[in-house]
Amino acid sequence: MDKEIEALTSGTVGFFWPVSENGEFNEEPERGFVNKVDSGGFEIRTLNEDPSVGLSFSPHRSKPNAIVSIFLEGSAVFLKISKHGGKATFGGRRASAYNYTSRMAISRFPVSELNKVKLDVRVKELRAHFPGISQWAGLKVSNIKHERKPDGRLKAAVLRLESPEEVVADLGSLSLVIGGHWEVANDNDRASVYSPVSIGVKAKRARDVAEMLEVLLRVQDLVNVAYDTFVRVDGGIAVMAVESEPATYPRFWNDSLMEGPANRVSNREKKGLPLFGLADLSGAQGISRWVRLYKEFPSAFDAVAAPYRLGGMTWHGYLRETAVGMERLVAASRKKGRPAWTKEKLVSLALARRVGDPFIDFVADVEKWADLFWGVYNGGKHQASYDPDPRDVRTLAISGNLLLMAYLLHRCGMSKSALADMFQSRVSYELRDRIKELVKSPPVGLQPNSSR
């Protein structure tokens, strides 16, 4: 981890300049302390040393747009300020103070900017480092070649690091860039190599960081879906508007990209094979379509992607969110020209027939599956006494979510043959066998009423 970011996360003292929406700031800094809190993000606590401000302190004081800081180990700018407040104390043994919560920090902010009247905290580029996804991305940054003696024993190992050619896709006024990143550290006899996949967003003109961060979050959602787990970003670099060609690129920290749900499995564990790869989506263009379609069908995408960020969810809740995502997706599609496939009475059946053979082969009888899925959804929604076996709800919830995911991936460029391979080769045998068994012989009481 970058030493300046590490200092912020572990806790350090410094000077802090809150910056308004139009870039204005007070020349006199606030003295205080910053550290990363358990819930993610940074907590900044500073002293209110201005007596006149203390007498008129208001909790409704304007929230800063950013906070620039100089601390023992370097400098940074804090962005995405989510909370702010303070406490005024008149006399006694407690100091008046301000407190802020930030969800993002970029290190190495050029302190010379503090000599200006206004500060520009916009960003021109953000690149996130994703460890362990080279198989999904189809990129190889590092290659080790072993040399052996005649008797077979190892003689030498040659490591070659090379950044692959970047893949670029258009995102309107932004560009999506997929490539590799590598670093080497040689600490006496303990050399280390860091070579993650790098996925970034670039802009010709500086932007508010939230616009670029939104794209990276959507890309992370896609990677999470592919690996069926939260895939943590463990670093990244930024290019700020005030220093477009820095000698050393600033690093950033963001809680949404780097923290994940509280019950997340350790990132050190193997993720296994991804359900699909970047090549299945025709490369970066597929990610570009994923990002754009997310804005068009947010409920459907959230049903597929949000559980990896939210953590624990009941199977009834998982099935319900999937069904709602289906409903809103089909309703939105119906409004756009009323395509024939959306006229099916059951949206689960409409979507299953739209995906076609890959899903039909997965469940064996698509009409029975659709009727069963929608019946369980209605039972959980309308009948207080409805209490099916959670294992059956789990099976239906996962199969329904896979259907919704398959439709969205197909819209992003995945072929039907790639979808079929995903259902047959990547989805577990246990689930494939269980869903067919459930559709063929559903237990009594699983479907309380006809779903039609």
Side-chain angles (χ1 to χ4, degrees), residues 12 57 85 110 157 170 173 208 236-237 302 340:
T12 186
F57 179 82
D170 180 67
S173 58
D208 186 283
I237 62 175
D302 282 342

Side-chain angles (χ1 to χ4, degrees), residues 196-212:
V197 171
S198 171
I199 302 179
V201 188
K202 298 175 68 174
K204 293 180 179 179
R205 294 183 298 171
R207 307 297 179 86
D208 186 283
V209 72
E211 189 175 348
M212 293 185 169

Side-chain angles (χ1 to χ4, degrees), residues 58-346:
S58 170
H60 303 296
R61 194 169 65 118
S62 297
K63 182 174 68 175
N65 182 50
I67 299 175
V68 172
S69 175
I70 296 176
F71 46 96
L72 293 174
E73 296 80 6
S75 63
V77 57
F78 296 93
L79 302 165
K80 303 283 289 181
I81 309 298
S82 58
K83 296 180 182 178
H84 74 296
K87 184 176 182 180
T89 302
F90 306 100
R93 58 185 181 86
R94 296 185 179 181
S96 297
Y98 300 119
N99 58 74
Y100 312 91
T101 301
S102 164
R103 303 188 61 184
M104 183 169 188
I106 299 177
S107 68
R108 302 173 194 174
F109 187 84
V111 295
S112 59
E113 294 296 305
L114 292 169
N115 295 323
K116 297 181 178 180
V117 177
K118 293 185 178 182
L119 292 178
D120 188 350
V121 296
R122 294 175 302 165
V123 177
K124 293 189 70 174
E125 182 176 352
L126 275 184
R127 294 201 182 210
H129 298 156
F130 288 84
I133 69 164
S134 57
Q135 186 172 11
W136 173 82
L139 298 174
K140 197 164 186 178
V141 180
S142 61
N143 184 44
I144 300 178
K145 183 178 180 181
H146 294 94
E147 296 179 6
R148 297 186 178 276
K149 298 178 181 179
D151 60 4
R153 290 185 298 170
L154 193 64
K155 176 183 178 182
V158 179
L159 170 66
R160 178 179 174 80
L161 297 170
E162 184 176 9
S163 298
E165 184 176 350
E166 292 183 335
V167 180
V168 182
D170 180 67
L171 276 172
S173 58
L174 300 173
S175 296
L176 181 72
V177 183
I178 303 174
H181 174 85
W182 56 268
E183 301 173 16
V184 177
N186 191 1
D187 185 10
N188 296 324
D189 58 348
R190 290 186 180 275
S192 62
V193 176
Y194 176 60
S195 55
V197 171
S198 171
I199 302 179
V201 188
K202 298 175 68 174
K204 293 180 179 179
R205 294 183 298 171
R207 307 297 179 86
D208 186 283
V209 72
E211 189 175 348
M212 293 185 169
L213 187 60
E214 182 69 17
V215 175
L216 291 182
L217 289 171
R218 298 290 78 84
V219 173
Q220 187 182 42
D221 285 334
L222 179 63
V223 176
N224 292 345
V225 169
Y227 281 99
D228 193 30
T229 188
F230 182 83
V231 180
R232 184 176 66 91
V233 169
D234 68 354
I237 62 175
V239 177
M240 302 204 68
V242 294
E243 198 176 24
S244 58
E245 294 294 336
T248 304
Y249 283 107
R251 303 302 177 98
F252 77 84
W253 171 277
N254 172 261
D255 62 343
S256 297
L257 289 170
M258 301 175 178
E259 288 293 315
N263 60 350
R264 176 179 59 85
V265 176
S266 170
N267 199 55
R268 292 190 180 94
E269 297 181 13
K270 291 184 178 180
K271 304 180 187 68
L273 292 174
L275 286 171
F276 56 89
L278 183 59
D280 294 323
L281 295 170
S282 302
Q285 293 297 336
I287 300 183
S288 177
R289 285 189 287 269
W290 173 277
V291 173
R292 292 197 301 269
L293 282 171
Y294 213 118
K295 296 179 181 179
E296 191 173 344
F297 306 113
S299 295
F301 278 91
D302 282 342
V304 170
Y308 299 109
R309 296 191 181 279
L310 299 176
M313 180 183 290
T314 66
W315 291 116
H316 272 295
Y318 191 50
L319 188 146
R320 182 176 60 252
E321 292 302 311
T322 299
V324 171
M326 290 180 178
E327 283 184 308
R328 294 183 177 176
L329 184 147
V330 172
S333 300
R334 190 180 295 126
K335 289 180 180 179
K336 296 187 176 184
R338 296 183 63 83
W341 71 271
T342 65
K343 298 178 182 179
E344 183 70 51
K345 185 176 180 181
L346 279 181

